[in-house]
Amino acid sequence: MGTVVAERPAVRDSGLNRLVGQPEGTRPPGKRWGKAPKASTGVERAGDRAARRLATAAGATILVALAGVGLFLLARGLPAVRAGQGDLPEGATSFWQLAGPLAFGSVWAAALALLFAIPVAVAVALFISMYAPRRFAGPLGATVDVLAAIPSVVYGLWGLMVFAPMTAGLYRWLSDHMGWFPLFAGKPSATGRTILTAALVLAVMVLPIIAAVCREVFLQTPALSVEAALALGATRWETIRLAVFPFARSGIVSGAMLGLGRALGETMAIAMVLSPTPFLMSVRLLNNTNPNTIAASIAQNFPEAYGMEVNALIGLGLILFVITFAVNYLARRVVARSQPGA
Amino acid sequence: MPKAIEIASLNAYYGSFHAVADVSLTIAPRSITAFIGPSGCGKSTLLRTLNRMHEVIPGARVTGSVLVEGQDVYGSGVDPVLVRQRVGMVFQRPNPFPTMSIKDNVLAGVRLQRRRLSKGEANSVVERSLRSAGLWTEVRDRLDKPGASLSGGQQQRLCIARAIAIEPEVLLMDEPCSALDPISTLAIEELMAGLKATYTVVIVTHNMAQAARISDKTAFFTIDGARKPGRLVEYGPTAAMFSEPNQQATADYIAGRFG
């Protein structure tokens, strides 16, 4: 017999192998590769083992941190749910009287912000990735990224001192000419410090992160699909509709979710722009009386809170935590369902 | 001789790189013309100049003229979008739109040209195109399934159906079988013989047996070295070219002595 060739140890199967084997275009966008199969028999090299353990540890850390935050919010926040008048901030008679309007305010302000930010962000990302000459695309993309790095206090100051006074005239005009529209009803604010102003400031704040995510997703559109569209006689806009958007849909939603997270949690910009009215739940956009948000309320009340009031504020945090989870989950569901064959 | 395509002193560039040098040739309507030659000889580039897909690549440009049915596709004021509606294309890798159903894939091009398409019209376009592409019997009862659920060969025939759904005059095929198995390749070759009755077909292929089997005329291209432009060596009826090539380079390539 000749020399015995040692059998090559089977490479440990992992998610990576699936990445390599996937033919381009067959993987639905945004879909995970699925759970890595159980380790097959074989030797694992030291480097692979170290990398795997490091990655597993990092993944576990996220879960531990999330669970820790959740437990803290539950343990400290739940007692406040049963608290009565006297123990709660702003003289609330029950926790829900406090939490309801604030939860509404948070969701309302964030939803308005996304409503303004998403179309603009998608357009900005399209311009950078599809239309801008290459010389401008790079610097412009970097500029958008810099916008994302501006501290929210600065946005708040700008909103309060520059933007709000600018908008007062517009609000008066809207109220005069479109006051019949329920959202524009009521006496318009003379200072411009309204929920609409706050939402617009929020929109400017979340725009860069959405635009940055969309830009990256648009740039990864498979060249095969773009060529297919062009060869069918599609114009540039039609190519974007045929090849870019369907591929980018889940990416756009992911970007919007990141933006929503920032908008829901944003404290300073809201706290600085708005002078809130306690327990108010109103969809009117142009008035001096405005609902407050959970994050801003926590920031405003925490310095003077003691005893059960602290628990109530932590309970508000728990509500915000739950809202964020719910919205994220819903968005994922929507994306998953809109993909054929998924 | 009637002419579907007339290429006159065509040069193609990628930035400063000269990819195709001074090609002139004439293609008869309702025929299959094969472009063969070694890798990098510019045959795919030349093909892509015929429907102005070459210029999609940044820095790519063309000089010379290409007449399709007598009209210069590089004439001033000619919209490349309209050129591509008249000159369809099938690519090397099957590229159905991954998020669209089989039916929507077939209709993708039609819907660009005609906003309003009644259900009946849409169904008849889908059936006619899929029949012409030899795919109808295989997919008729799952038209709403995603195009990506088909096998590679079926996907390529779906792409052919999508291209002919808009009824172009010319169909360009850029190595349409190189990513397919022999059985799928055979299906596409049989299909092409039928397509010839309606369309002028130009195919780039690395497979010389394929060129010999399906084409009426063959154009052989070569390059004289790296970074040199590709040039047309010989163009003529396929049978004559494979039995008695005029040029030594053609004979060497066909015999498998290089390339």
Side-chain angles (χ1 to χ4, degrees), chain B residues 133-235:
Chain B
L135 195 59
W136 175 249
T137 50
E138 289 161 63
V139 301
R140 60 192 304 171
D141 44 9
R142 47 179 173 143
L143 294 173
D144 294 322
K145 292 271 155 34
S149 67
L150 300 173
S151 74
Q154 288 173 324
Q155 287 188 25
Q156 193 63 301
R157 278 180 284 152
L158 177 60
C159 293
I160 293 174
R162 181 177 65 187
I164 60 183
I166 56 174
E167 303 183 32
E169 293 147 38
V170 178
L171 191 58
L172 307 177
M173 306 180 105
D174 188 0
E175 299 186 41
C177 303
S178 64
L180 305 183
D181 64 89
I183 298 198
S184 305
T185 300
L186 183 66
I188 296 209
E189 287 182 11
E190 285 174 348
L191 168 63
M192 288 177 68
L195 291 176
K196 193 172 99 167
T198 322
Y199 306 99
T200 305
V201 180
V202 185
I203 179 172
V204 166
T205 179
H206 265 294
N207 180 338
M208 276 174 290
Q210 181 174 61
R213 279 194 299 268
I214 60 173
S215 69
D216 302 301
K217 291 184 96 175
T218 298
F220 171 63
F221 298 83
T222 193
I223 36 171
D224 300 324
R227 303 295 295 171
K228 295 267 176 56
R231 59 184 177 86
L232 176 63
V233 177
E234 188 171 350
Y235 176 50

Side-chain angles (χ1 to χ4, degrees), chain A residues 1-6:
Chain A
M1 292 292 283
T3 44
V4 177
V5 181

Side-chain angles (χ1 to χ4, degrees), chain A residues 23-26 29 134 224-225 227-235 238 241-243 246-247 249 340-341, chain B residues 48 51 53 56 58 81 84-85 87-89 91 93 95 97-100 108-109 112 115 146 162-163 166:
Chain A
E24 198 176 339
T26 58
R134 296 199 145 193
L224 282 174
S225 294
E227 291 206 314
L230 286 173
L232 282 173
T235 61
E238 287 165 343
R241 268 184 24 221
L242 272 176
F247 175 80
R249 192 162 38 201
Chain B
R48 291 169 64 96
N51 66 342
M53 282 295 286
V56 168
V81 166
R84 291 174 198 141
Q85 289 174 2
V87 184
M89 190 161 203
F91 295 83
R93 305 257 302 271
N95 57 357
F97 295 115
T99 55
M100 279 188 201
L112 294 176
R115 284 292 125 92
R162 181 177 65 187
I166 56 174

Side-chain angles (χ1 to χ4, degrees), chain A residues 167-322:
Chain A
T167 56
L170 172 72
Y171 294 162
R172 204 175 325 111
W173 186 90
L174 278 175
S175 170
D176 288 347
H177 294 88
M178 294 179 71
W180 51 268
F181 189 57
L183 298 188
F184 298 153
K187 187 172 175 296
S189 164
T191 58
R193 292 173 63 183
T194 71
I195 187 94
L196 185 56
T197 304
L200 285 168
V201 173
L202 277 184
V204 177
M205 292 178 60
V206 302
L207 194 146
I209 183 90
I210 304 177
V213 172
C214 290
R215 180 193 63 202
E216 289 308 311
V217 179
F218 292 163
L219 285 175
Q220 281 165 22
T221 310
L224 282 174
S225 294
V226 172
E227 291 206 314
L230 286 173
L232 282 173
T235 61
R236 207 195 282 232
W237 168 239
E238 287 165 343
T239 303
I240 288 169
R241 268 184 24 221
L242 272 176
V244 179
F245 280 160
F247 175 80
R249 192 162 38 201
S250 65
I252 295 174
V253 173
S254 299
M257 282 306 106
L258 282 174
L260 182 65
R262 193 166 180 201
L264 277 174
E266 178 46 40
T267 310
M268 287 319 293
I270 295 274
M272 291 168 82
V273 171
L274 277 187
S275 44
T277 310
F279 313 133
L280 180 73
M281 238 199 280
S282 161
V283 293
R284 293 184 175 185
L285 297 177
L286 309 178
N287 302 354
N288 265 332
T289 53
N290 290 289
N292 201 3
T293 70
I294 290 180
S297 171
I298 293 176
Q300 285 156 343
N301 290 313
F302 204 81
E304 286 143 43
Y306 67 93
M308 189 51 82
E309 285 181 17
V310 174
N311 293 77
L313 293 177
I314 294 172
L316 290 178
L318 178 63
I319 304 268
L320 191 58
F321 194 69
V322 171

